[in-house]
């Protein structure tokens, strides 16, 4: 998985691959943050109670969580850039929460109105699968780079 000629563990990523993954994460979470921010501008925060189809409802707790993504998505981008492992942890937590919330809504809205809630799968599903594959490598790489940086003689002096 490495593209550099520098010696490194096969369990870590090359700098180039790490940056490519980081750019993909940041673009996706920036887009998500923008989409949730626009949702707040267009709709009243926490006031939505209906789902996308007639006869469907949006539970208040999911409304609160969805609204919080306007904060957590940009925070994820910032942490990915300045505190890589904290950013990766938040990224995985946010994506996991999106999956849990939307899977529950799929079931709820099917029971309420026989409505199939699938539009979230295109972007969030793709990002989730990408993270499932890449996040462990990114975590190990960030840990290795952090350890190497703290062990560096220039850092010790």
């Amino acid at each position: 998985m490495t593209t550099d000629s520098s010696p490194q563990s096969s369990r870590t990523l090359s700098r180039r691959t790490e940056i490519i993954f980081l750019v993909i994460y940041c673009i996706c979470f920036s887009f998500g943050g923008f989409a949730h921010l626009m949702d707040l501008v267009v709709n009243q925060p926490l006031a939505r109670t209906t789902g996308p189809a007639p006869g469907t409802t949006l539970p208040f707790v999911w409304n609160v969580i969805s609204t919080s993504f306007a904060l957590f998505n940009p925070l994820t981008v910032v942490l990915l850039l300045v505190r890589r492992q904290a950013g990766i942890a938040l990224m995985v937590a946010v994506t996991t929460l999106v999956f849990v919330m939307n899977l529950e809504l799929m079931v709820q809205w099917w029971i309420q109105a026989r409505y199939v809630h699938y539009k979230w799968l295109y972007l969030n599903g793709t990002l989730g699968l990408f993270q499932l594959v890449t996040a462990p490598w990114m975590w190990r790489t960030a840990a290795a780079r952090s350890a190497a940086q703290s062990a560096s003689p220039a850092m010790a002096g």
Side-chain angles (χ1 to χ4, degrees):
M1 189 63 171
T2 62
T3 57
D4 291 341
S5 59
S6 60
Q8 63 179 354
S9 167
S10 64
R11 296 177 52 88
T12 62
L13 299 170
S14 70
R15 192 59 144 163
R16 180 180 305 150
T17 304
E18 179 186 22
I19 290 171
I20 290 169
F21 289 173
L22 187 62
V23 166
I24 292 169
Y25 293 158
C26 289
I27 289 171
C28 291
F29 278 88
S30 295
F31 177 80
F34 178 75
H36 284 280
L37 189 61
M38 291 310 299
D39 185 46
L40 290 178
V41 169
V42 173
N43 301 304
Q44 289 181 318
L46 307 177
R48 200 170 352 143
T49 58
T50 59
T56 59
T57 60
L58 183 64
F60 182 74
V61 68
W62 292 139
N63 199 351
V64 170
I65 291 170
S66 183
T67 300
S68 74
F69 290 145
L71 169 70
F72 285 121
N73 284 343
L75 179 60
T76 300
V77 172
V78 170
L79 287 175
L80 282 168
L81 296 174
V82 298
R83 301 272 310 190
R84 185 74 35 87
Q85 285 183 295
I88 293 167
L90 183 58
M91 172 184 78
V92 170
V94 166
T95 304
T96 300
L97 187 55
V98 166
F99 269 75
V100 168
M101 180 176 78
N102 282 293
L103 288 171
E104 191 278 333
L105 288 174
M106 285 179 84
V107 171
Q108 177 181 326
W109 290 342
W110 178 256
I111 291 169
Q112 287 177 349
R114 300 293 186 257
Y115 174 75
V116 179
H117 173 57
Y118 62 89
K119 292 179 183 173
W120 67 280
L121 278 170
Y122 302 131
L123 295 175
N124 297 113
T126 304
L127 177 62
L129 289 174
F130 181 71
Q131 285 180 14
L132 186 66
V133 172
T134 62
W137 275 328
M138 287 292 283
W139 183 270
R140 285 191 299 270
T141 301
R145 292 201 199 293
S146 178
Q149 190 177 28
S150 65
S152 169
M155 294 298 290

